[in-house]
Amino acid sequence: MALYSEKVMDHFRNPRNVGVIEDADGVGEVGNAKCGDIMKMYLKIDDDIITDVKFETFGCGSAIASSSMATELIKGKPVDEALQLTNKAVAEALDGLPDYKMHCSVLAEEAIKNALDDYHSKQASKKE
Ligand code: FES
């Protein structure tokens, strides 16, 4: 059996939503100290709906595929739903990752949560 699913290879070779959103409403950056990979997520949010999302990942193929899939899973979704996204759901949507590559999908979950935290703190400071 191939180590990586076709979906992983597809999202690795043709990642969706790569890039930067200059006027993002939320930005999240995370890294994994062991492998040194870094992931950054940018969110555009209108009325609590994620209208656009882009990512930059300096990392392994599984991290790139996970970021790409994660952006597809949250685009167009309400903020509350995006907060529920787990790394397991990302890995499942990719038709699985090898056990020792599951941490790559954790980066995607964490980057989105960080970006949503950033969004919420910006919203809170606007209200002050
Ligand atoms: Fe670290 Fe993939 S090896 S994110």
Side-chain angles (χ1 to χ4, degrees):
M1 200 194 104
L3 191 53
Y4 294 108
S5 73
E6 274 177 35
K7 273 199 191 159
V8 172
M9 293 313 292
D10 177 33
H11 280 263
F12 166 58
R13 290 196 179 112
N14 309 295
R16 290 27 158 207
N17 306 310
V18 176
V20 174
I21 300 176
E22 294 295 347
D23 57 342
D25 298 305
V27 180
E29 184 172 352
V30 289
N32 180 297
K34 271 198 193 147
C35 64
D37 291 356
I38 296 168
M39 192 181 290
K40 200 164 178 180
M41 287 272 174
Y42 302 84
L43 304 175
K44 196 80 200 140
I45 299 172
D46 284 315
D47 268 340
D48 273 348
I49 302 286
I50 298 173
T51 53
D52 199 10
V53 45
K54 297 236 182 288
F55 78 90
E56 293 176 303
T57 293
F58 179 80
C60 72
S62 300
I64 291 167
S66 295
S67 341
S68 169
M69 179 55 87
T71 59
E72 295 241 291
L73 290 173
I74 63 164
K75 204 171 187 175
K77 296 276 163 61
V79 164
D80 285 353
E81 220 173 288
L83 269 174
Q84 308 298 321
L85 184 73
T86 61
N87 77 298
K88 258 186 93 189
V90 173
E92 270 165 27
L94 287 168
D95 290 339
L97 284 169
D99 281 352
Y100 66 96
K101 284 286 177 182
M102 280 304 280
H103 81 270
C104 316
S105 61
V106 172
L107 277 188
E109 176 188 329
E110 289 179 350
I112 288 170
K113 292 208 164 118
N114 274 14
L116 288 169
D117 278 353
D118 183 46
Y119 165 68
H120 283 128
S121 54
K122 280 183 178 140
Q123 290 295 103
S125 62
K126 266 190 207 161
K127 282 184 194 139
E128 275 167 15

